[in-house]
Amino acid sequence: MFPTQRPRRLRRTAAIRNLVRETHLHVEDLIYPLFVQENLAKPEPIQAMPGQYRHSLDSLVAEAEKASAAGLQAILLFGIPEKKDPQGSGAFAPDGIVQQAVRAVKQRKLPLAVITDVCMCEYTSHGHCGAIRDNDVDNDPSLAMLTDTAVSQAEAGADIVAPSDMMDGRIAAIRKGLDQAGFEQVAILSYAAKYASAFYGPFRDAAGSAPQFGDRQSYQMDPANIREALKEVWTDLEEGADMVMVKPALAYLDVIRAVKESTDVPVAAYNVSGEYAMIEFGAKAGILDRERIIREILVSIKRAGADLILSYHALEVAGWLK
Ligand code: PBG
């Protein structure tokens, strides 16, 4: 008898397909990244990321309220300071833009976790993620800057800090700094396997954080490596990370899978700005079915093993999932 196996039997109707579906996307899986700019009167559209904004403090709080009402559990904040300097002092200023933003959101008492990106590149005039010596980022002096940044964000009320700088030893330094300041309950979501990726292009446009010389290849990972990603993950876990991230997501689904299989902590994946922009500009050109593509990509990232997905589509998708 041919054929004995007829997989199409389980694809016949929507009800049967729903019954046998292996991967489900939930609103709780999504984290919504947001940009907030210092001294901005009203939100500014980001040209390279249609549909996303550099928020004012007011519009940021309004967006956080929408996110919470839509069922999202967390937002991730990026700050854009008015002035940048070589030390990136806006990153750890007690009244820095992210610190102000965290306070403003927290004042609303929403059931929403506030995550802050810990990095220097949005705040430094040279656009690198730490202190510069001999045209390169000097690892160990950068740790103090990052620790000060994380502690000041925790002081403002951040629930989770997310270091994205890729310096060696930053998780240990930040954990120690947080604990000494009395923030032993603030969690660390480490951008553990963060690749030197061209997919961050639109983000750097949004945050004005492109390096002014050179690139980030001496600290972010080589896209060709996967075993090294596991080493980064294990190093960060040994140093005290509570959750780990793979970034970008779409071109690194194999890395997400490998990290998931070798750890027992929540694994996050960042569906980054370039991945967002490809969909938006493709849809604008009329060549992609936007909603289907977004759903397909997010469910694929989840299927690869991500427990959490950082996505600029999070708020819109939360509406679809209701
Ligand atoms: C800061 C940081 C970047 C992103 C997140 N945190 C930019 C970079 O490393 O250049 C990228 C996010 C995105 O592209 O959506 N270091």
Side-chain angles (χ1 to χ4, degrees):
M1 280 283 277
F2 174 81
T4 34
Q5 285 300 329
R6 288 186 181 272
R8 289 184 56 189
R9 285 176 194 133
L10 300 185
R11 296 180 199 138
R12 270 178 52 234
T13 66
I16 296 176
R17 288 191 296 273
N18 290 340
L19 207 59
V20 301
R21 182 161 299 125
E22 298 175 35
T23 310
H24 295 268
L25 192 65
H26 302 292
V27 63
E28 292 87 353
D29 304 331
L30 301 171
I31 299 174
Y32 188 26
L34 290 166
F35 299 93
V36 58
Q37 184 165 341
E38 198 167 22
N39 295 328
L40 203 62
K42 58 176 179 31
E44 267 178 18
I46 300 168
Q47 301 305 333
M49 300 173 70
Q52 300 301 308
Y53 294 83
R54 289 184 207 92
H55 284 284
S56 65
L57 275 177
D58 287 345
S59 72
L60 177 85
V61 171
E63 197 72 1
E65 282 175 333
K66 275 191 222 160
S68 183
L72 294 173
Q73 304 300 310
I75 55 173
L76 168 65
L77 296 182
F78 293 99
I80 307 164
E82 189 159 44
K83 290 198 194 71
K84 306 189 187 224
D85 59 33
Q87 294 74 37
S89 53
F92 44 83
D95 61 346
I97 181 59
V98 158
Q99 290 77 0
Q100 290 182 46
V102 173
R103 286 195 185 93
V105 171
K106 279 286 157 184
Q107 229 170 29
R108 297 297 157 124
K109 307 239 175 288
L110 303 168
L112 188 69
V114 176
I115 310 175
T116 48
D117 186 83
V118 180
C119 199
M120 305 311 296
C121 62
E122 298 102 298
Y123 303 90
T124 51
S125 43
H126 44 74
H128 278 287
C129 304
I132 298 295
R133 193 182 64 185
D134 300 335
N135 277 331
D136 195 9
V137 177
D138 198 0
N139 196 87
D140 297 7
S142 302
L143 299 180
M145 299 156 88
L146 294 160
T147 302
D148 287 351
T149 300
V151 170
S152 76
Q153 292 169 346
E155 265 160 10
D159 300 292
I160 302 170
V161 295
S164 70
D165 53 284
M166 290 300 279
M167 295 304 119
D168 296 332
R170 78 259 169 80
I171 302 302
I174 289 170
R175 184 71 269 160
K176 188 169 164 217
L178 288 171
D179 290 356
Q180 282 174 350
F183 298 113
E184 68 282 344
Q185 294 300 330
V186 170
I188 300 178
L189 165 58
S190 161
Y191 286 72
K194 177 173 174 177
Y195 287 88
S197 172
F199 283 103
Y200 310 150
F203 174 97
R204 292 177 189 173
D205 184 33
S209 63
Q212 298 303 300
F213 61 88
D215 54 39
R216 304 208 202 291
Q217 292 185 77
S218 80
Y219 43 105
Q220 298 181 348
M221 283 182 54
D222 182 339
N225 295 356
I226 183 165
R227 285 182 299 153
E228 188 188 1
L230 300 179
K231 177 178 176 171
E232 285 282 3
V233 163
W234 278 104
T235 305
D236 286 0
L237 290 174
E238 278 161 16
E239 290 183 22
D242 300 284
M243 301 185 268
V244 292
M245 192 198 298
V246 174
K247 178 186 173 190
L250 204 45
Y252 298 85
L253 296 176
D254 56 330
V255 181
I256 296 171
R257 164 60 42 191
V259 170
K260 179 58 171 269
E261 282 174 358
S262 71
T263 58
D264 49 12
V265 295
V267 175
Y270 202 141
N271 187 211
V272 299
S273 59
E275 299 173 326
Y276 176 88
M278 287 197 301
I279 297 173
E280 294 304 321
F281 286 104
K284 268 186 200 297
I287 55 166
L288 300 178
D289 180 335
R290 185 175 174 278
E291 178 170 341
R292 284 189 60 201
I293 291 261
I294 293 169
R295 286 178 180 271
E296 184 174 335
I297 287 176
L298 293 175
V299 94
S300 300
I301 295 170
K302 183 117 190 249
R303 191 197 63 236
D307 300 295
L308 300 168
I309 305 172
L310 296 105
S311 167
Y312 299 100
H313 288 118
L315 179 56
E316 188 178 0
V317 173
W320 302 343
L321 295 175
K322 273 222 159 150

